Amino acid sequence: MIRMKLCLILICTAWLHTEAKSRHRVIGVTLCSDTDGEVMYGSNGDEMYHVDFSTGKGVFTLPPFSDPLSYPRAYERSVVGMDICKDRLKSYTGGHSKPEPRDAPQSSIYSEDDAELDSKNTLICHITGFYPPHVEVTWTRNNVNVTDGVSLSRYYPNDDGTFSLFSHLSLIPKLGDVYSCSVEHTALDRPLPRTWEVDVELPGVGASVFCGVGLAGGLLGVAVGTFFLIKGNNCN
């Protein structure tokens, strides 16, 4: 069951029929609370467009190979929709301010590709299960703050009313480096850190050592056998 959490969600769905008579489900979501808001449109489970209120513009998120879309005055219409959403939220709560429930985030950190020394890679910090939808993410390398190569995704709503997001860090792994993704949220008493350490084995070292030891042992055995063979012949 989706919890309202003192937010109002306005959802509009429609079924569109193409010339091939196939059906496509288009959905529009407007979410607002006392602290934040979000507007998103999607089709068949994929996001097509969302509004970035921090930059004051709409963002199309369809892949490059898809047909281009046009949504005139999208941002302006989204602002009007957000005002309507907040007015309805006040009516829903009776105009009384209530403390918002808080859900603490969970996080994990992993690399996009298998770690290879001196090869470009990306660390991904996945943060999920938090409410209200605002977190601070800090990256460090060997306990020193890192800002270059850091990006933050938009907030993704989960089915239970909480939110998720991703933070990415571009890097070139060096042996012994330790990276950390630290998350701050109003439901946490202290920052929530996750670490990732560069610990890459040199390729083939184990097999080479094993073969070297085996070869040395074999040569030693031949030498010892030859010695006793010559000594036996001399005694005769």
Side-chain angles (χ1 to χ4, degrees):
M1 180 179 181
I2 298 178
R3 295 168 286 177
M4 292 302 294
K5 297 177 179 290
L6 292 183
C7 67
L8 186 64
I9 304 175
L10 306 179
I11 301 177
C12 177
T13 61
W15 291 100
L16 301 182
H17 294 260
T18 65
E19 294 181 358
K21 303 302 181 182
S22 60
R23 297 199 304 175
H24 297 273
R25 185 170 184 264
V26 179
I27 184 170
V29 178
T30 299
L31 183 149
C32 64
S33 71
D34 292 337
T35 58
D36 213 337
E38 183 169 348
V39 175
M40 183 273 289
Y41 295 90
S43 174
N44 300 328
D46 295 322
E47 180 189 294
M48 299 187 301
Y49 170 90
H50 72 268
V51 174
D52 187 343
F53 288 103
S54 62
T55 60
K57 64 180 182 180
V59 180
F60 286 97
T61 52
L62 289 173
F65 55 79
S66 62
D67 294 331
L69 292 178
S70 176
Y71 188 7
R73 298 181 59 81
Y75 180 75
E76 291 80 2
R77 294 183 182 186
S78 299
V79 171
V80 173
M82 188 59 56
D83 291 338
I84 294 173
C85 184
K86 290 184 177 181
D87 286 340
R88 294 185 180 180
L89 177 61
K90 291 179 181 178
S91 300
Y92 176 77
T93 59
H96 300 291
S97 178
K98 300 178 182 178
E100 283 189 316
R102 300 183 301 173
D103 289 316
Q106 300 176 357
S107 65
S108 59
I109 185 173
Y110 51 92
S111 60
E112 183 176 28
D113 301 313
D114 292 337
E116 295 183 11
L117 296 181
D118 302 320
S119 297
K120 290 183 179 180
N121 208 332
T122 300
L123 285 183
I124 302 171
C125 189
H126 180 215
I127 306 147
T128 189
F130 57 90
Y131 188 92
H134 180 74
V135 294
E136 296 286 345
V137 181
T138 303
W139 286 92
T140 63
R141 173 180 174 267
N142 300 331
N143 296 319
V144 177
N145 284 347
V146 177
T147 56
D148 291 340
V150 174
S151 63
L152 199 66
S153 75
R154 71 175 186 87
Y155 293 94
Y156 295 92
N158 298 323
D159 291 339
D160 62 355
T162 61
F163 289 82
S164 298
L165 64 77
F166 296 88
S167 181
H168 299 81
L169 171 65
S170 300
L171 76 158
I172 298 178
K174 302 291 184 181
L175 190 62
D177 280 351
V178 178
Y179 288 85
S180 173
C181 167
S182 183
V183 179
E184 296 182 55
H185 185 264
T186 183
L188 294 172
D189 295 330
R190 60 182 63 87
L192 176 66
R194 290 288 182 266
T195 58
W196 185 84
E197 183 173 356
V198 180
D199 184 12
V200 182
E201 286 190 11
L202 297 178
V205 170
S208 299
V209 172
F210 178 79
C211 291
V213 172
L215 179 60
L219 292 175
L220 179 61
V222 172
V224 171
T226 302
F227 170 78
F228 283 109
L229 179 60
I230 294 174
K231 185 175 180 181
N233 290 334
N234 291 336
C235 290
N236 294 331

